[in-house]
Amino acid sequence: MPRKMRLSDRNVMRLRAEESEYTVWDTKVPGLGVRIRPSGHRAFICLDSRDGSSRRRTLARATLMTVDEARIRCLDIQSGGPDARKPTTTVPLFRDFVAAVWKSECYERQKPTSRRHADYMLASQLMPTFGNLTLDRIDRRSVSLWFDRYSETAPGGANRTLDVLRQIMNHARVHGHVEVNPASGIRRNPGRKLNRFLSRAEIRRLHDELDRCVAEEPSRARQADIIRLLSCTGCRFSEIRTLQWKEVGDGTLDLTDSKTGPRTVYLSSTAREIINRQPRIDSPYVFPSPTAPSRPPCRNLPLWDIVRRRAGIEDIRLHDLRHTFASYAVMQGVPLPTVARLLGHRQVSMTMRYAHVSDRDIEEAAERVGRAIVSVFES
């Protein structure tokens, strides 16, 4: 049943947010209501039935308009007054909407790493391009021009920044500032196919070169162990880079903050050996920075470029070690749901991107299936 009351400035501000959006209708002016979202955002709305259909129009945020002003505005719209087609509220600038509404309702709910990425994208791309425009002046053409220009130098960065812009503009649409999201429907740049993983020979060469590099310069041992641990756990680089001693359990890593939230990584005997040989110094990190032990190491590993060049695998990324771990798990007959848990994936569909098998394994499988079919014919 519709909620109704005689609206006043005081009782509008006293309305509490609930799990789902709801509207309270005014008993004095039919068709005037105040909409309350789960975020706590509240705005006056008006039912416009002049064209035969009942269409809701957002008047303004309840903090920017009194109830009496909302009643007058609603009556003007319903009667088709001279200012009925004028904007019902001032559309904010992109920078102001981001700084106030979007950051409080969306940004603050994101993980710290996601917020850092958003900060960089806003400062480097979105604010210089769209910051001084009102939200309703950001159209499909301006977004396409920006995206095409940025894609020429950084296609992957353009994709990630487009995702942030799309989220912001979708939230602006929810608040009634734009009718359509101008970032929707723009085709992302094709990404690099995740079809590269190390062969058995490449894995041997990689670890042989790691041993040689450490023998040449013992100071490289910590970087080498990071690479080895990535190889035998399937962890993300950020998870091992920021690994703290308090997260090391008895045969597990109890990560407090991974890409998909807290998760447990089960360690093989090789992985346990790698962690156990790390020196315990006055640092919370298992692999601290050599120059500032209170901090994790830098985001790039100089040793990685050296060993992959020596091993002849320069096209391999550090993340492909995770890809390799997943692929070999599948080739060993580990079920995909189990592989998904090993990788910390919430959905098996994510794991499918990593689950590749070699041509040799496909050939052997075809031979086994062929023999099985023939045995049926001959029986």
Side-chain angles (χ1 to χ4, degrees):
M1 179 176 293
R3 306 187 193 189
K4 295 182 179 181
M5 68 165 58
R6 185 181 178 93
L7 296 180
S8 67
D9 294 333
R10 177 176 294 182
N11 61 32
V12 166
M13 290 299 107
R14 287 180 175 176
L15 294 172
R16 295 178 177 273
E18 298 181 359
E19 291 185 359
S20 58
E21 176 186 306
Y22 70 96
T23 300
V24 177
W25 299 100
D26 188 23
T27 56
K28 184 175 181 180
V29 175
L32 174 66
V34 60
R35 178 185 62 211
I36 298 89
R37 298 190 187 279
S39 63
H41 177 272
R42 62 201 67 204
F44 289 114
I45 62 173
C46 173
L47 290 181
D48 183 1
S49 305
R50 287 173 298 156
D51 58 358
S53 62
S54 184
R55 185 164 60 96
R56 294 191 180 194
R57 295 183 59 174
T58 301
L59 303 181
R61 295 187 67 168
T63 55
L64 302 177
M65 178 179 281
T66 66
V67 171
D68 287 339
E69 291 171 338
R71 286 183 177 128
I72 294 171
R73 185 75 187 96
C74 183
L75 290 171
D76 283 343
I77 291 173
Q78 291 174 343
S79 63
D83 62 344
R85 295 185 178 276
K86 291 183 180 179
T88 57
T89 185
T90 302
V91 179
L93 295 175
F94 178 84
R95 67 166 183 259
D96 295 336
F97 179 77
V98 168
V101 179
W102 181 75
K103 283 205 169 181
S104 65
E105 297 181 4
C106 299
Y107 175 89
E108 296 298 337
R109 300 178 182 179
Q110 297 177 355
K111 290 169 57 64
T113 52
S114 298
R115 291 200 295 267
R116 286 195 295 271
H117 291 156
D119 288 339
Y120 173 78
M121 296 169 195
L122 284 165
S124 64
Q125 287 291 325
L126 298 180
M127 287 304 177
T129 306
F130 305 110
N132 293 327
L133 297 176
T134 57
L135 292 169
D136 58 348
R137 289 183 58 199
I138 302 174
D139 55 16
R140 175 70 177 270
R141 181 175 180 276
S142 62
V143 173
S144 295
L145 289 173
W146 159 78
F147 182 72
D148 292 343
R149 184 171 59 251
Y150 189 21
S151 297
E152 292 177 358
T153 56
N159 285 345
R160 291 186 290 272
T161 310
L162 178 65
D163 291 339
V164 175
L165 178 61
R166 184 180 289 121
Q167 184 194 66
I168 293 171
M169 295 306 297
N170 191 58
H171 206 60
R173 185 185 62 80
V174 169
H175 280 270
H177 297 309
V178 295
E179 292 186 3
V180 296
N181 186 339
S184 294
I186 294 179
R187 183 173 297 179
R188 292 163 54 90
N189 297 306
R192 180 179 182 266
K193 293 183 178 180
L194 296 175
N195 58 0
R196 181 70 166 95
F197 65 98
L198 279 72
S199 67
R200 292 174 175 83
E202 288 173 331
I203 293 175
R204 284 194 295 270
R205 294 204 305 271
L206 171 63
H207 286 272
D208 288 345
E209 291 301 333
L210 285 172
D211 292 339
R212 290 192 185 93
C213 285
V214 173
E216 293 169 0
E217 293 186 30
S219 61
R220 294 169 170 170
R222 187 168 289 159
Q223 290 187 59
D225 279 346
I226 291 177
I227 296 171
R228 291 188 180 100
L229 196 57
L230 290 172
S231 179
C232 64
T233 61
C235 285
R236 301 175 180 90
F237 175 54
S238 60
E239 294 170 343
I240 298 302
R241 173 180 168 268
T242 60
L243 180 65
Q244 298 189 36
W245 284 111
K246 65 181 181 181
E247 297 175 307
V248 178
D250 185 15
T252 62
L253 302 180
D254 302 311
L255 303 180
T256 57
D257 184 27
S258 70
K259 185 177 180 180
T260 54
R263 77 180 185 99
T264 299
V265 178
Y266 294 88
L267 301 175
S268 64
S269 57
T270 302
R272 291 197 297 270
E273 181 183 341
I274 293 172
I275 291 176
N276 291 337
R277 68 176 176 234
Q278 302 309 309
R280 294 267 189 162
I281 61 175
D282 187 18
S283 173
Y285 296 100
V286 177
F287 301 100
S289 166
T291 56
S294 62
R295 299 168 55 186
C298 61
R299 287 183 172 83
N300 65 311
L301 291 179
L303 181 61
W304 174 243
D305 291 331
I306 296 173
V307 295
R308 66 177 181 168
R309 184 178 65 251
R310 289 187 179 184
I313 53 173
E314 292 180 278
D315 62 324
I316 289 290
R317 306 168 304 167
L318 201 58
H319 191 73
D320 289 327
L321 297 179
R322 175 174 167 86
H323 188 192
T324 300
F325 178 87
S327 299
Y328 276 84
V330 173
M331 287 189 285
Q332 292 299 314
V334 178
L336 279 177
T338 304
V339 178
R341 289 199 60 188
L342 288 172
L343 296 176
H345 286 160
R346 291 175 178 173
Q347 297 178 343
V348 175
S349 58
M350 292 291 294
T351 313
M352 289 294 294
R353 301 185 307 158
Y354 296 82
H356 296 285
V357 293
S358 67
D359 292 341
R360 179 179 177 183
D361 289 283
I362 295 174
E363 183 180 347
E364 291 178 354
E367 182 63 28
R368 290 197 302 272
V369 173
R371 285 199 300 267
I373 296 295
V374 170
S375 66
V376 173
F377 293 157
E378 293 178 347
S379 60

